[in-house]
Amino acid sequence: SSTRGVVPCEGAMEESWGAQVLRQIEAGDFDGLVAACEELELVIQEGLPDAPLSNEEGGHIGLLYTAHMLAYLREGDQHAARFLWKRTPAPLQQLPQVAAAHEVLVAIWRRDYAGFFAKLEAGPWEARLEPLIAEVISRSRARLLDQIGEAYKALSLEHLGKVLGLPATDARAVCEHRGWGLDANGSVLPVGAEVGEDMMKMGEAQLKKLAEYVAYLEQPQCRA
């Protein structure tokens, strides 16, 4: 069973808003989720009443904004997530799930990877968001591992675990799954997929981003 901070859904709403998005999350159909959330946001913005929302209505719409931000984070699109936060109505920003999603965004924006994963694990998230939370964690770790594979010939297992938000034993299992070895000193030996060819294909912006990422990992507070 999951150890994340899941809270039960309160009050099954008879709302048509978001039904398709929630079905996609439940089914694990994430590839079209961003587009569905963006279309839904337009519908919500056009349909919001002038009168204050009830607690139930606010909670439901807050759930959908939370899903929207998590969908952006699944794609690694931090800029889109920031703009979504700026567009989010102020009353919704105060809701626990919406605020928690924003804290997750702030952590990854600051390259606080351990905090990013810790906040995703902690919640509080409704059970309906659980498949999306797991997907954001999985894809974000995979992206980091891809970057590490391109940037490093060796790094300590403890360091890798801190970056991934995993204990050393789980970090070792991730390495084994990727076919990464460990040397006699216990350092991980990442293997990038066709690193030389990939580097040649990289544009200037991608190379700059990778350089910034490596510089961040070399900061004293991030080193094992």
Side-chain angles (χ1 to χ4, degrees):
S1 61
S2 172
T3 58
R4 284 187 283 276
V6 179
V7 295
C9 307
E10 296 182 4
M13 294 188 64
E14 297 298 324
E15 290 281 359
S16 60
W17 281 352
Q20 177 60 37
V21 164
L22 295 175
R23 281 196 297 268
Q24 285 183 236
I25 294 172
E26 183 181 10
D29 179 14
F30 301 115
D31 288 342
L33 189 59
V34 164
C37 286
E38 288 176 342
E39 182 176 348
L40 175 61
E41 183 191 1
L42 295 176
V43 174
I44 292 174
Q45 292 287 2
E46 292 175 357
L48 281 176
D50 294 331
L53 297 171
S54 69
N55 289 339
E56 186 180 31
E57 290 169 337
H60 181 72
I61 297 174
L63 168 69
L64 301 177
Y65 270 87
T66 302
H68 193 169
M69 182 166 291
L70 292 170
Y72 282 137
L73 294 177
R74 173 187 179 270
E75 300 297 326
D77 195 342
Q78 299 169 28
H79 290 285
R82 290 183 73 204
F83 285 122
L84 173 63
W85 174 254
K86 292 178 180 179
R87 295 193 306 269
T88 302
L92 297 181
Q93 290 182 347
Q94 308 303 316
L95 297 175
Q97 286 191 118
V98 181
H102 180 245
E103 289 179 4
V104 171
L105 167 62
V106 170
I108 194 64
W109 184 265
R110 294 175 176 171
R111 296 194 180 98
D112 175 12
Y113 299 111
F116 170 75
F117 290 116
K119 291 177 187 300
L120 281 169
E121 294 279 355
W125 314 113
E126 283 192 20
R128 287 179 288 183
L129 291 177
E130 184 71 0
L132 180 54
I133 295 295
E135 174 74 0
V136 174
I137 291 172
S138 175
R139 282 179 64 100
S140 298
R141 283 194 176 128
R143 274 194 297 270
L144 277 174
L145 287 164
D146 288 344
Q147 291 172 328
I148 289 169
E150 292 173 348
Y152 278 85
K153 291 185 177 179
L155 75 164
S156 76
L157 185 63
E158 182 182 358
H159 183 181
L160 180 64
K162 287 180 180 178
V163 171
L164 298 178
L166 291 172
T169 52
D170 290 347
R172 179 189 293 269
V174 168
C175 294
E176 292 173 351
H177 180 73
R178 288 213 162 206
W180 293 1
L182 275 77
D183 65 15
N185 297 320
S187 294
V188 178
L189 306 176
V191 178
E194 300 180 358
V195 172
E197 182 179 347
D198 288 347
M199 286 291 188
M200 291 178 66
K201 292 180 181 179
M202 276 188 176
E204 182 178 348
Q206 290 172 295
L207 288 171
K208 181 179 179 182
K209 184 176 181 179
L210 181 58
E212 291 173 349
Y213 167 77
V214 174
Y216 172 82
L217 288 182
E218 290 299 327
Q219 292 176 17
Q221 68 266 27
C222 298
R223 301 179 66 178

